[in-house]
Amino acid sequence: MWIKDWLRHLGLPEKKKVSSRYKKNQEHIRQVKKRKQREWRARVKYRILQRKRLMIITGSLLVLLLMITGGIGIVRAMGKNRLYEKADRKQPEMIKTAPEEVLQEEEETEWKEGWVRYQGNIYEYKSDILTFLVMGIDKNKDVEKTEEGTDGGQADALFLVVVDPSDRTLKIVGINRNTMTDIAIYDENGDMTATVKAQIAVQHGFGDGMEESCEYQKKAVENLFYGLPIHGYAAVNMKAISTINDAVGGVEVTVLEDLTRKDKSLVKDAKVHLTGKTAFWYVQYRDTTVFGSADLRLARQKQYLNGFVAAAKKAAKENISVILDLYQAVMPQMVTDVSLDEVAYLAPLLVDYRFSDNSFYTMTGETVAGEQFEEFYVDETALYELILEVFYEKVESME
């Protein structure tokens, strides 16, 4: 009672008693508002994705029209400009100098934003480089939209494809699917609620299995590589492996491990020309009961991609349209933000640019047994040096 007397003494209104019915009504109003907000967000996301798809379809039709009328040069110019405008960032956010390094006086005077000093050398990001994220999704069917949650499919294969005009080379960086990194957790509205340390492959699972999942995975890879600009992505369901393989005439390999439980021809050390389902098993399969099976599969994928690029270059030299044909053939099993005009720009580069066994890079680190799954911990120093080697060039003069 003294509280009421005190409130009256101060001239403040007494707190009215709230009925349980009133509380229920207020809670109902809050729930309705939340539902309407979710529906609004879902409509906005849908419109954005539809607009992106429409742009790709419209662009593809325009490309086909220009190609038919002989405007391939215009198409390639359009594709090139669009690609360079797509990256969210201009360069990685590397550490300016190591703690033990000190800039010299002339370096302080001439220093440019984005330069990196490492072990006595100064490095500058190659601004004309193009980087693409290629994801192999663990689904053996055509792509389809899923409910927001964790059913978008895991990225069992992750590669950065680097197109470097400075030395006219193609490079590939393989990312271990078990790499432990910050994974963003999203709720049913698509809002990020937290981050956890988990295998990088699971990030694609959050989202709708389409563009949303790809954007989530792209951000995770960008962050792992110090904010590396990525100019496009392609998420390909494993079902497409046979189609992609056979489009370039197949790939010859020396089998690295015995896989006869899946295909009798895949005997260790045997030389096999991979076609159809045999190619699928060689690239996709791993025995999860064997420790380090993800590392073993990544070694096979590295070997396969070396052979595939060589086969694709040979096929494209004979008929450059094979790349455009392949793009169209795998569309039912692929989600990509790379349009046909951008493919038209990139196709001749595949033929002209150099690629060798030394053009494939893998991350250094250690695989350990986690509580439930294997975990790969990257060597941060080695990763830093890999980024400098692939994406940067030495500044030879301060002038």
Side-chain angles (χ1 to χ4, degrees):
M1 294 296 292
W2 68 269
I3 295 178
K4 290 182 180 180
D5 294 337
W6 182 64
L7 289 173
R8 278 196 297 268
H9 174 72
L10 294 175
L12 298 175
E14 296 180 25
K15 186 176 180 181
K16 296 181 179 179
K17 185 176 180 180
V18 179
S19 68
S20 60
R21 184 172 182 178
Y22 176 81
K23 289 181 179 180
K24 288 181 180 179
N25 288 339
Q26 289 297 100
E27 179 62 25
H28 176 70
I29 291 170
R30 280 195 293 269
Q31 292 299 326
V32 170
K33 285 182 178 179
K34 283 184 179 181
R35 190 184 75 247
K36 288 184 176 180
Q37 193 175 41
R38 285 198 301 269
E39 291 172 351
W40 178 80
R41 288 176 179 172
R43 285 197 300 271
V44 170
K45 281 186 178 181
Y46 178 77
R47 288 171 185 166
I48 292 172
L49 293 177
Q50 287 294 96
R51 195 171 295 128
K52 283 183 178 180
R53 292 186 187 119
L54 181 61
M55 287 176 63
I56 291 177
I57 293 171
T58 304
S60 297
L61 292 174
L62 178 60
V63 168
L64 291 172
L65 178 61
L66 287 170
M67 290 175 70
I68 291 170
T69 57
I72 187 64
I74 299 173
V75 170
R76 295 195 68 232
M78 288 169 51
K80 179 179 179 180
N81 292 335
R82 282 158 56 93
L83 281 170
Y84 279 104
E85 293 171 356
K86 283 169 70 172
D88 298 328
R89 317 177 192 196
K90 291 186 177 180
Q91 60 188 28
E93 298 173 358
M94 303 281 276
I95 301 169
K96 181 178 178 180
T97 60
E100 67 275 7
E101 302 229 11
V102 179
L103 294 180
Q104 299 175 10
E105 185 177 344
E106 62 271 20
E107 293 173 343
E108 289 277 12
T109 305
E110 302 294 333
W111 195 263
K112 292 183 181 179
E113 184 181 357
W115 278 7
V116 176
R117 194 178 200 277
Y118 185 74
Q119 294 186 351
N121 295 309
I122 298 174
Y123 297 87
E124 183 175 20
Y125 177 69
K126 298 179 182 180
S127 59
D128 59 347
I129 216 166
L130 287 170
T131 304
F132 302 91
L133 176 63
V134 178
M135 300 161 269
I137 309 304
D138 64 346
K139 291 195 173 185
N140 192 22
K141 57 183 178 180
D142 290 353
V143 296
E144 60 182 5
K145 189 171 183 178
T146 63
E147 292 295 325
E148 186 87 30
T150 57
D151 296 326
Q154 295 190 17
D156 269 353
L158 286 165
F159 301 97
L160 290 173
V161 178
V162 184
V163 181
D164 189 348
S166 67
D167 57 6
R168 298 177 67 81
T169 61
L170 298 172
K171 301 180 180 73
I172 297 178
V173 179
I175 303 171
N176 191 310
R177 56 98 59 217
N178 292 333
T179 300
M180 300 298 289
T181 189
D182 288 331
I183 296 301
I185 305 299
Y186 297 86
D187 62 18
E188 67 276 7
N189 303 320
D191 296 324
M192 189 178 77
T193 58
T195 58
V196 297
K197 284 286 183 184
Q199 298 166 324
I200 196 168
V202 306
Q203 182 68 88
H204 185 274
F206 292 93
D208 59 359
M210 302 290 286
E211 289 88 351
E212 192 175 57
S213 289
C214 292
E215 291 292 343
Y216 293 165
Q217 188 69 68
K218 176 185 168 187
K219 287 179 184 178
V221 173
E222 285 176 337
N223 292 337
L224 177 65
F225 282 76
Y226 294 84
L228 177 73
I230 294 179
H231 300 85
Y233 62 74
V236 185
N237 283 4
M238 291 298 188
K239 178 183 178 181
I241 292 174
S242 298
T243 301
I244 296 171
N245 178 85
D246 294 355
V248 300
V251 175
E252 189 163 320
V253 298
T254 300
V255 179
L256 295 181
E257 59 178 303
D258 187 88
L259 300 174
T260 51
R261 64 186 302 177
K262 287 299 180 182
D263 191 301
K264 296 300 182 183
S265 67
L266 295 177
V267 180
K268 189 177 185 304
D269 297 329
K271 288 188 177 182
V272 177
H273 188 81
L274 300 174
T275 58
K277 201 69 173 179
T278 304
F280 170 82
W281 290 123
Y282 196 74
V283 174
Q284 188 268 348
Y285 178 72
R286 72 180 177 114
D287 186 350
T288 55
T289 64
V290 176
F291 181 77
S293 61
D295 305 281
L296 295 171
R297 182 174 62 183
L298 183 58
R300 295 200 314 268
Q301 291 172 346
K302 173 183 176 180
Q303 177 204 39
Y304 174 82
L305 283 173
N306 279 324
F308 176 82
V309 172
K313 285 169 69 73
K314 181 181 177 182
K317 283 181 180 178
E318 297 172 357
N319 179 13
I320 191 63
S321 67
V322 70
I323 298 174
L324 298 175
D325 294 340
L326 179 57
Y327 174 90
Q328 298 280 31
V330 299
M331 280 304 291
Q333 296 95 41
M334 178 173 68
V335 178
T336 183
D337 66 346
V338 181
S339 58
L340 197 56
D341 59 325
E342 293 164 354
V343 174
Y345 168 69
L346 294 169
L349 304 186
L350 175 63
V351 178
D352 295 337
Y353 281 26
R354 292 179 290 107
F355 182 84
S356 66
D357 291 347
N358 295 328
S359 302
F360 198 110
Y361 300 80
T362 53
M363 299 162 66
T364 303
E366 181 184 11
T367 297
V368 301
E371 291 183 8
Q372 289 183 292
F373 308 105
E374 291 178 10
E375 301 173 353
F376 177 82
Y377 290 89
V378 66
D379 182 321
E380 289 293 343
T381 300
L383 175 60
Y384 193 86
E385 292 174 350
L386 183 151
I387 295 172
L388 289 178
E389 181 179 355
V390 176
F391 300 97
Y392 282 72
E393 59 187 348
K394 287 184 181 179
V395 176
E396 300 296 342
S397 173
M398 296 296 294
E399 297 180 359

